[in-house]
Amino acid sequence: ALRQLDLSNNSLVGLRNVSFQGLGQLQSLNLSDNSLGMLWNSTLAQFRSLPALRHIVLRRNTWVCDCAIEDLVVWLKESDQVEGKETLTCASPDKMLGKALLKINGSDLNCSVPVDLPSQLQTSYVFLGIVLALIGAIFLLVLYLNRKGIKKWMHNIRDACRDHMEGYHYRYEINADPRLTNLSSNSDV
């Protein structure tokens, strides 16, 4: 049954995770003298959903006039809930200092069309693929340029393994001959 909520002078910097649900009787909300830089779309939607809310005070906040404030400006222009909305001005950046929020246009903010995240990821995967292909090509080029040295090295390893394995081969061959096993068990011969 709360009708008036005064959150002024509380050093609030944002209302991102604040919920006004259950305040259907709220008529007046005072958010003046805080450090609010912007109000998110979710907060503005909550303000719209409160049927009895008629007075919102937003004076003396540090509004940051960048691309993120566009939704707030649109809401201010179409809402009749905000008292003294003509006096709300930008606190930063320097080029927008003192400019009234109601007089901000999209061209003032220099907002480029946002690039969606999947296309950014796709671009980074393409770049990663190109880098890996380049590394692979360099590796193959090094192998190609050093092919004689690698061939000699492989022959040396093969010969060393062959010499080493021949000793085992003859040893097992002698022990595996069935005629020689009889000689070793029969010592009279």
Side-chain angles (χ1 to χ4, degrees):
L2 184 67
R3 294 182 188 275
Q4 292 184 354
L5 180 58
D6 187 353
L7 296 173
S8 64
N9 202 18
N10 277 302
S11 300
L12 298 175
V13 293
L15 297 175
R16 188 157 186 134
N17 296 321
V18 176
S19 175
F20 292 99
Q21 282 184 328
L23 298 177
Q25 301 297 317
L26 187 65
Q27 295 175 356
S28 176
L29 176 62
N30 188 350
L31 293 168
S32 62
D33 296 311
N34 283 295
S35 297
L36 296 173
M38 65 168 301
L39 293 176
W40 295 97
N41 228 354
S42 57
T43 305
L44 300 175
Q46 287 187 45
F47 290 163
R48 287 185 196 104
S49 70
L50 296 172
L53 186 58
R54 296 287 174 245
H55 305 287
I56 301 174
V57 182
L58 297 172
R59 290 187 301 266
R60 294 183 298 276
N61 279 291
T62 55
W63 301 111
V64 178
C65 296
D66 59 5
C67 294
I69 205 162
E70 280 184 305
D71 295 328
L72 175 62
V73 171
V74 170
W75 176 74
L76 284 172
K77 288 179 180 178
E78 64 188 30
S79 173
D80 58 350
Q81 297 171 308
V82 181
E83 292 182 11
K85 60 184 177 181
E86 300 82 18
T87 63
L88 301 178
T89 59
C90 300
S92 64
D94 289 339
K95 69 176 188 164
M96 301 290 283
L97 184 65
K99 183 160 187 165
L101 292 182
L102 290 176
K103 294 185 179 179
I104 293 176
N105 297 323
S107 60
D108 296 335
L109 300 175
N110 290 330
C111 298
S112 62
V113 177
V115 179
D116 57 321
L117 187 60
S119 69
Q120 287 178 343
L121 288 176
Q122 189 175 19
T123 303
S124 66
Y125 286 136
V126 168
F127 180 70
L128 177 65
I130 291 170
V131 168
L132 290 176
L134 184 63
I135 290 171
I138 291 171
F139 178 74
L140 290 175
L141 179 68
V142 168
L143 287 178
Y144 176 75
L145 293 175
N146 198 19
R147 65 187 180 276
K148 290 181 182 177
I150 292 173
K151 189 175 183 181
K152 187 185 292 184
W153 180 71
M154 291 297 289
H155 284 295
N156 289 342
I157 289 178
R158 185 188 66 192
D159 291 341
C161 288
R162 184 182 298 156
D163 292 343
H164 188 69
M165 291 306 289
E166 280 183 1
Y168 286 119
H169 176 70
Y170 291 128
R171 185 180 323 152
Y172 289 124
E173 193 175 274
I174 292 172
N175 291 343
D177 191 358
R179 293 174 290 167
L180 295 177
T181 54
N182 289 340
L183 285 177
S184 62
S185 62
N186 189 356
S187 60
D188 293 339
V189 181

